[in-house]
Amino acid sequence: MKEEKLPELDERGFMKDWNDLKLSYRGTLRMLQKKGKQLECDLEKAIALNVDLDSIMKDIDFIKDMITDVNLAINWLHTGKMPGSKRGIERRSAYQKNKLMDPLRMQAFSNQYNSRSASTLTDWQRYQLEDALSRLSPQQRECYELAHGGCYPYAEIAIMLGISKGTVQGYVERAQKKVTEDLNSSLFLI
């Protein structure tokens, strides 16, 4: 039988190397698999003796859950990303989108009476925003104000308004484009 090498620990008691951590998880996985096989043998004996199977079945389910969790941790350590996800979080497009307007400005506009923001709007800035928002459709304006002024996620806005999340996203994107164009190109708002 092969003797397992114990991982090296630093002065704080932590493992020095990721490979040692992976080896430790693999050792735990082997131990859990061995325990699972033992429980399955116990189950077969209990079936033959017509004994209560509930406790053995609970133990088998518990061991299977633990094996699944350890496999997930091993895969995560091996690949460096969450197993099953197609892309890492750094490659998702939501984090690559540009913010075209200062969110504090929109929050101060939308919550003008109870704004705790350090950013307060001047009358001119408020007029600029009001004029830009006046060109939006009622649905676009409502979704835009909830998303940027109220900081609600699209899913919650969709529930509040009784529309789909994709529709909310479309309204907000079109509204963002219109507001940005108006703030950048309106002769009255320069």
Side-chain angles (χ1 to χ4, degrees):
M1 189 165 168
K2 186 177 175 184
E3 185 176 320
E4 291 189 32
K5 180 185 120 182
L6 293 175
E8 292 183 43
L9 304 178
D10 64 6
E11 61 278 354
R12 297 173 296 169
F14 296 120
M15 292 185 194
K16 288 185 176 181
D17 190 12
W18 285 104
N19 290 325
D20 290 341
L21 184 61
K22 283 197 286 189
L23 287 173
S24 174
Y25 271 108
R26 287 187 180 123
T28 302
L29 178 63
R30 283 191 295 275
M31 180 193 68
L32 289 170
Q33 288 169 338
K34 186 187 293 184
K35 182 65 177 174
K37 287 179 184 175
Q38 180 186 356
L39 284 171
E40 287 176 4
C41 290
D42 292 347
L43 179 65
E44 290 174 8
K45 290 177 187 175
I47 290 172
L49 297 173
N50 290 330
V51 181
D52 184 32
L53 306 175
D54 287 340
S55 65
I56 296 174
M57 291 302 291
K58 285 180 184 176
D59 288 345
I60 289 174
D61 288 341
F62 186 68
I63 292 293
K64 285 181 180 179
D65 289 342
M66 289 175 68
I67 289 172
T68 302
D69 291 344
V70 170
N71 272 326
L72 179 95
I74 290 170
N75 287 337
W76 202 328
L77 287 170
H78 183 70
T79 61
K81 66 178 185 175
M82 173 99 171
S85 65
K86 302 284 184 201
R87 299 182 187 184
I89 194 70
E90 73 282 353
R91 294 189 56 212
R92 297 218 174 129
S93 65
Y95 297 96
Q96 296 170 355
K97 292 182 180 174
N98 295 330
K99 300 277 187 207
L100 302 175
M101 174 188 264
D102 183 15
L104 287 177
R105 218 172 137 191
M106 187 62 201
Q107 287 173 15
F109 173 77
S110 145
N111 299 324
Q112 56 189 331
Y113 297 110
N114 72 0
S115 176
R116 294 186 191 109
S117 166
S119 168
T120 55
L121 295 177
T122 64
D123 289 335
W124 177 246
Q125 289 172 327
R126 188 172 308 286
Y127 176 75
Q128 284 180 311
L129 273 173
E130 185 62 44
D131 189 58
L133 292 174
S134 70
R135 292 184 176 89
L136 302 177
S137 71
Q139 298 90 355
Q140 287 175 344
R141 181 173 178 147
E142 190 171 17
C143 288
Y144 187 77
E145 285 183 356
L146 286 171
H148 290 286
C151 296
Y152 288 102
Y154 291 164
E156 284 186 38
I157 296 171
I159 292 169
M160 285 190 276
L161 300 179
I163 56 178
S164 73
K165 183 178 166 186
T167 304
V168 170
Q169 183 177 357
Y171 283 151
V172 171
E173 287 173 359
R174 284 191 293 277
Q176 180 67 54
K177 186 183 275 187
K178 287 180 183 178
V179 167
T180 303
E181 287 172 3
D182 283 350
L183 288 177
N184 291 334
S185 64
S186 176
L187 295 175
F188 298 107
L189 300 178
I190 296 177

